[in-house]
Amino acid sequence: MAEAHQAVAFQFTVTPDGVDFRLSREALKHIYQSGINSWKKRLIRLKNGILRGVYPGSPTSWLAVIMATVGSSYCKVDISMGLVCYIQQCLPERYGPYGTPQTQALLSMVVFSTGVWVTGIFLFRQTLKMLLSYHGWMFEMHSKTSRSTKIWAICVRLLSSRRPMLYSFQTSLPKLPVPSVPATIHRYLDSVRPLLDDEEYYRMETLAKEFQDKTAPRLQKYLVLKSWWATNYVSDWWEEYVYLRSRSPLMVNSNYYAMDFVLIKNTDVQAARLGNAVHAMIMYRRKLDREEIKPVMALGMVPMCSYQMERMFNTTRIPGKETDVLQHLSDSRHVAVYHKGRFFKVWLYEGSRLLKPRDLEMQFQRILDDSSLPQPGEEKLAALTAGGRVEWAHARQTFFNSGKNKTALETIERAAFFVALDEESHCYSPDDEASLSLYGKALLHGNSYNRWFDKSFTLISFKNGLLGLNTEHAWADAPIIGHLWEFVLGTDTFHLGYTETGHCVGEPNTMLAPPQRLQWDIPEQCQAAIESSYQVAKALADDVELYCFQFLPFGKGLIKKCRTSPDAFVQIALQLAHFRDKGKFCLTYEASMTRMFREGRTETVRSCTSESTAFVQAMMKGSHTKEDLQDLFRKASKKHQNMYRLAMTGAGIDRHLFCLYVVSKYLGVSSPFLAEVLSEPWSLSTSQIPQSQIRMFDPNQYPNHLGAGGGFGPVADDGYGVSYMIAGENTIFFHVSCKFSSSETNAQRFGNHIRQALLDIADLFKISKTDS
């Protein structure tokens, strides 16, 4: 029994002869090694903090400045123009061998050189921040780059040429600007024009004008003041009010999933695949702690904000009755594992040494081989994280605030991440269209109690060796977890590898203590609360219809023949597909990032535009010439690309209006305009999944090493959620979600409309694989 090996660090009993202390050598060893490891990390962080704080300077450059100053002095050249002598006069007089004029002169030169060095760093950072505030390059065609942009690019490359650490550019990133109210109102009205008839539009225009003239100026002043004071005027409110204050279940409504490589398989051995993946994740965490990961750079030179990566590991969302809290620990040396209704604790280190993949495989195999039964109430315990947040907060406070329940829960919440060992198998078979959808459903919600939805992410391992992720959304957005996932899949395939029999490379250390079984004491009242949350979660999961498919006729390589961006091509196709599906247009959400600004997260691109609807209506009439349709498509594409660029450069609509709404609530100001804007349903919510953020391998050399991306649940009860990944040159993966309970939606029907829309638009430009 695994629980028989649990180490007790410190026990005592009272006897007639006094107090009898019993110490566990194994547990004390863990405590000692943990302390050593903690101090090592502190020293590394101190060193990194210094190096990051003086970037692009370095100790070497500091010494070079000192040597130049001292050398010029010996050559009788005063490059300080008298400042060294002035500093020397200001130094306090000292007596003895260390107070000689020569020593004081040397000290003065060191002080002067340090001042010059620090001033240079400050000027560099301010210059780089000024350069990074320029976004004109985003609005220029690649073939028509202006001279000023070319000069800007040269300057940015020169100033960021030295090898940076992960957070080296953070202080050089500009702040997210607050758009002007008139500009936001104008763009908002333009975005809703195709969705409203003349009477409705006039009413909304009147509300907007009244808001702009009477209410907005006061709210805008507070927002501008916050932008001066805070690092980012949006992100903290966005995290709190959109994510942490939401009381609805995280499962389906908030959490999203990511898929494995689907066209290749490295091994069928479940424990082996998991051993490599967990080892790769902890390697990534170590690089993260040491800031050895390169910052993501747009065009290879414009740095993206990295702050979201700080909470990737050792993070859990703690439920509250009114608002949740993100608990982040500086370190964690174990993972929590779920298998067949039991919870285990698996150490990731032996002393200060990270366990090798073969050792981790052995530990996971021990769990798979464990035949013990779940304790009463243990099997469906994680359903509490899948149900309502208020119910989970009440149960946590009532039943998990003391004793073994508190200890076991803390083990899960303090884990580096959560691991789910599933008993079923999933894979993608091109011959079985339903296989990819079933795989996605398993990742999105499982059986509603075999994922810990509060953890920053759950690593899911299926019986046949396939993997996947279920990710909590509050701490970061999809590109962040995508960065980790690319590293894990690339490291697993190209660096760690497997033996011919499918096991991890190396020999296991059989002397390792087996995983610890977590102990629970769950009373009947708590079991009733668990069952109640499970029923809520199960109803939510059963209502989700998910249709995932691979689009094979063409990919981004041939889309570019339209002389448009692949994202604009897909978004316009989605508008055509939605009109064919429902016979109407709807408010459409596309997520874009604002990470060119410090602590930036996302902005909304309102993809349903007057230009895209004009194209769709022309396509539906069928009476226009191909040249006219091409012209309408290019206008729609140009408009979409411009909107996407505006969103990325801080000139979006929705985050500004959201923050104005928050300010109005703080001030107790009523705004019919804001109330209506914030209540509008996103009937079509879309997102493109990033890829190739890390170049772990050459995709041209390994074209089948493709992940299928990931997906999320529908935002509106009668709407669709569409996630897509333009995977390489020749394929696109789509994940379409909706609710069975809605009579207006059908995921497979909409997926078929997407297929046809893509083909119909391609036919306008005669795009096909044969053209290549």
Side-chain angles (χ1 to χ4, degrees):
M1 295 290 287
E3 60 266 25
H5 298 277
Q6 293 191 49
V8 180
F10 186 79
Q11 297 178 335
F12 70 91
T13 56
V14 180
T15 68
D17 300 322
V19 181
D20 175 33
F21 293 93
R22 289 176 292 176
L23 300 175
S24 167
R25 180 177 299 176
E26 182 67 23
L28 288 178
K29 179 182 176 183
H30 274 294
I31 292 172
Y32 170 75
Q33 292 291 353
S34 180
I36 294 295
N37 191 58
S38 177
W39 276 104
K40 284 182 179 179
K41 284 198 168 188
R42 289 181 187 179
L43 292 174
I44 291 172
R45 286 173 183 151
L46 176 63
K47 181 197 76 172
N48 288 343
I50 294 171
L51 293 177
R52 182 195 331 127
V54 301
Y55 183 85
S58 66
T60 304
S61 64
W62 177 65
L63 287 174
V65 175
I66 292 175
M67 292 174 65
T69 305
V70 173
S72 65
S73 175
Y74 280 110
C75 296
K76 306 299 183 183
V77 177
D78 185 10
I79 61 174
S80 72
M81 293 184 292
L83 281 176
V84 169
C85 294
Y86 178 76
I87 294 171
Q88 188 172 354
Q89 293 171 5
C90 294
L91 290 176
E93 293 185 2
R94 290 289 183 267
Y95 298 96
Y98 301 104
T100 63
Q102 293 83 357
T103 305
Q104 289 188 333
L106 181 61
L107 181 58
S108 301
M109 285 185 278
V110 170
V111 172
F112 167 77
S113 301
T114 303
V116 171
W117 182 67
V118 170
T119 301
I121 292 171
F122 174 78
L123 291 175
F124 162 87
R125 289 187 171 180
Q126 293 304 308
T127 303
L128 184 59
K129 181 179 287 190
M130 180 183 67
L131 289 170
L132 295 178
S133 298
Y134 169 73
H135 300 118
W137 59 274
M138 290 195 67
F139 298 87
E140 296 179 356
M141 298 291 290
H142 293 298
S143 59
K144 299 179 181 179
T145 305
S146 65
R147 180 177 298 178
S148 58
T149 296
K150 290 178 180 178
I151 296 172
W152 166 85
I154 293 171
C155 293
V156 171
R157 288 186 185 279
L158 288 173
L159 291 176
S160 58
S161 59
R162 184 171 166 263
R163 184 179 178 183
M165 301 172 70
L166 179 60
Y167 303 118
S168 291
F169 292 116
Q170 289 299 96
T171 56
S172 298
L173 293 174
K175 287 187 176 184
L176 183 68
V178 181
S180 70
V181 172
T184 297
I185 295 297
H186 172 75
R187 284 193 283 267
Y188 169 78
L189 290 174
D190 184 56
S191 73
V192 298
R193 186 65 188 93
L195 305 174
L196 306 175
D197 60 31
D198 292 343
E199 183 178 343
E200 291 171 331
Y201 180 75
Y202 176 75
R203 185 184 66 85
M204 183 56 72
E205 191 177 36
T206 303
L207 285 176
K209 179 67 174 174
E210 181 182 9
F211 170 74
Q212 179 178 326
D213 294 340
K214 296 181 180 180
T215 311
R218 182 184 174 196
L219 305 182
Q220 180 79 347
K221 288 177 183 177
Y222 282 93
L223 209 53
V224 171
L225 180 63
K226 185 192 177 186
S227 73
W228 292 345
W229 177 257
T231 309
N232 187 295
Y233 81 94
V234 175
S235 294
D236 57 339
W237 285 348
W238 187 253
E239 180 179 297
E240 179 180 358
Y241 293 107
V242 173
Y243 294 116
L244 298 180
R245 284 186 180 266
S246 173
R247 302 294 82 200
S248 59
L250 300 183
M251 187 191 78
V252 175
N253 293 320
S254 180
N255 285 28
Y256 56 94
Y257 66 86
M259 288 182 169
D260 199 349
F261 285 149
V262 292
L263 302 180
I264 64 161
K265 182 179 277 190
N266 294 321
T267 179
D268 292 319
V269 182
Q270 184 178 15
R273 186 77 197 288
L274 191 56
N276 265 5
V278 171
H279 183 82
M281 283 182 168
I282 303 305
M283 286 174 59
Y284 183 94
R285 185 179 70 169
R286 185 163 58 188
K287 287 178 174 290
L288 201 61
D289 290 340
R290 296 177 178 179
E291 301 185 33
E292 295 173 352
I293 297 172
K294 296 179 181 178
V296 176
M297 310 282 276
L299 300 180
M301 63 178 180
V302 180
M304 301 286 105
C305 181
S306 303
Y307 99 101
Q308 293 181 59
M309 303 174 84
E310 295 174 358
R311 298 181 294 185
M312 188 177 296
F313 295 94
N314 328 322
T315 298
T316 300
R317 182 165 170 166
I318 305 297
K321 293 183 179 179
E322 294 184 357
T323 183
D324 292 353
V325 175
L326 285 175
Q327 172 188 281
H328 174 68
L329 306 176
S330 60
D331 192 23
S332 178
R333 297 173 61 80
H334 71 277
V335 291
V337 181
Y338 179 90
H339 177 245
K340 282 189 176 181
R342 297 89 41 83
F343 292 86
F344 297 84
K345 178 181 183 179
V346 176
W347 290 104
L348 299 170
Y349 295 85
E350 183 187 22
S352 60
R353 182 184 67 86
L354 172 62
L355 292 185
K356 295 179 180 178
R358 190 66 181 89
D359 294 331
L360 289 166
E361 177 190 347
M362 179 187 69
Q363 296 293 64
F364 294 127
Q365 191 61 51
R366 284 173 169 176
I367 293 175
L368 291 169
D369 295 339
D370 190 319
S371 59
S372 61
L373 298 175
Q375 300 159 73
E378 181 182 18
E379 182 179 14
K380 296 182 180 179
L381 174 62
L384 289 171
T385 70
R389 303 306 292 170
V390 175
E391 293 78 9
W392 173 208
H394 177 73
R396 189 177 187 278
Q397 178 62 34
T398 306
F399 304 111
F400 297 90
N401 63 351
S402 63
K404 59 174 66 175
N405 286 351
K406 180 180 181 181
T407 301
L409 181 62
E410 284 183 346
T411 299
I412 295 173
E413 292 180 340
R414 298 175 72 86
F417 51 89
F418 193 79
V419 176
L421 282 165
D422 279 16
E423 303 165 65
E424 57 186 29
S425 295
H426 284 286
C427 66
Y428 170 48
S429 171
D431 299 326
D432 180 10
E433 187 179 68
S435 61
L436 195 63
S437 303
L438 292 172
Y439 176 28
K441 284 272 284 183
L443 295 176
L444 180 62
H445 53 66
N447 61 16
S448 302
Y449 60 79
N450 57 354
R451 316 277 182 257
W452 199 269
F453 294 99
D454 285 358
K455 289 300 291 183
S456 55
F457 64 88
T458 294
L459 174 60
I460 301 161
S461 170
F462 296 104
K463 194 172 183 178
N464 60 346
L466 209 66
L467 300 174
L469 294 177
N470 182 286
T471 306
E472 201 278 316
H473 209 325
W475 64 273
D477 301 307
I480 304 302
I481 200 70
H483 195 277
L484 163 70
W485 198 227
E486 286 183 25
F487 177 89
V488 170
L489 296 182
T491 301
D492 168 47
T493 303
F494 296 100
H495 297 282
L496 298 178
Y498 300 88
T499 64
E500 293 181 356
T501 56
H503 292 278
C504 296
V505 177
E507 294 295 326
N509 178 9
T510 56
M511 300 303 293
L512 287 174
Q516 299 174 17
R517 177 78 183 275
L518 301 189
Q519 298 299 302
W520 307 92
D521 182 14
I522 302 176
E524 291 184 1
Q525 300 96 317
C526 184
Q527 292 181 37
I530 293 170
E531 182 63 25
S532 177
S533 288
Y534 169 65
Q535 293 302 327
V536 170
K538 186 177 185 299
L540 183 60
D542 290 345
D543 195 26
V544 174
E545 181 186 3
L546 187 65
Y547 179 55
C548 307
F549 64 94
Q550 182 181 13
F551 180 78
L552 288 168
F554 55 84
K556 69 178 179 182
L558 298 178
I559 289 176
K560 291 176 181 176
K561 292 195 173 187
C562 298
R563 286 178 288 179
T564 186
S565 79
D567 181 68
F569 188 97
V570 173
Q571 284 291 327
I572 297 170
L574 289 175
Q575 292 300 314
L576 177 58
H578 188 274
F579 191 85
R580 286 172 172 172
D581 186 81
K582 287 191 174 183
K584 61 182 180 181
F585 298 108
C586 71
L587 195 62
T588 305
Y589 182 112
E590 183 189 6
S592 72
M593 66 176 183
T594 56
R595 288 174 60 203
M596 289 192 295
F597 302 96
R598 193 169 180 183
E599 296 187 13
R601 290 199 60 162
T602 61
E603 178 57 274
T604 304
V605 179
R606 294 177 167 235
S607 303
C608 184
T609 64
S610 297
E611 289 78 2
S612 66
T613 56
F615 168 75
V616 170
Q617 288 169 339
M619 287 285 288
M620 295 301 294
K621 287 180 181 178
S623 58
H624 289 70
T625 65
K626 185 172 287 189
E627 289 74 17
D628 288 342
L629 291 172
Q630 288 178 353
D631 184 58
L632 289 170
F633 175 83
R634 289 195 174 102
K635 287 179 180 178
S637 174
K638 183 178 179 181
K639 177 63 175 291
H640 180 82
Q641 291 179 73
N642 187 63
M643 290 178 60
Y644 202 98
R645 290 161 180 159
L646 287 171
M648 288 187 67
T649 54
I653 301 167
D654 290 275
R655 298 303 177 268
H656 185 204
L657 293 177
F658 162 76
C659 288
L660 290 171
Y661 179 77
V662 173
V663 174
S664 75
K665 288 299 181 182
Y666 278 134
L667 298 178
V669 175
S670 176
S671 170
F673 171 74
L674 288 177
E676 188 159 338
V677 170
L678 271 293
S679 64
E680 291 171 340
W682 297 103
S683 296
L684 179 57
S685 182
T686 71
S687 179
Q688 181 183 180
I689 304 164
Q691 61 166 335
S692 301
Q693 297 182 82
I694 312 174
R695 196 169 179 83
M696 298 287 291
F697 58 92
D698 184 357
N700 296 322
Q701 188 176 353
Y702 300 95
N704 288 330
H705 287 64
L706 292 174
F712 52 88
V715 174
D717 290 339
D718 59 351
Y720 291 109
V722 180
S723 176
Y724 54 95
M725 186 172 79
I726 305 171
E729 299 295 311
N730 302 309
T731 189
I732 308 172
F733 285 100
F734 285 91
H735 305 253
V736 182
S737 65
C738 65
K739 292 190 175 182
F740 285 114
S741 57
S742 172
S743 60
E744 298 183 29
T745 57
N746 181 292
Q748 184 163 354
R749 183 185 73 205
F750 188 45
N752 291 334
H753 282 310
I754 293 172
R755 275 197 187 96
Q756 192 59 50
L758 290 167
L759 292 171
D760 290 346
I761 296 175
D763 186 57
L764 293 177
F765 298 90
K766 298 187 181 301
I767 297 177
S768 67
K769 284 191 175 181
T770 58
D771 293 338
S772 62

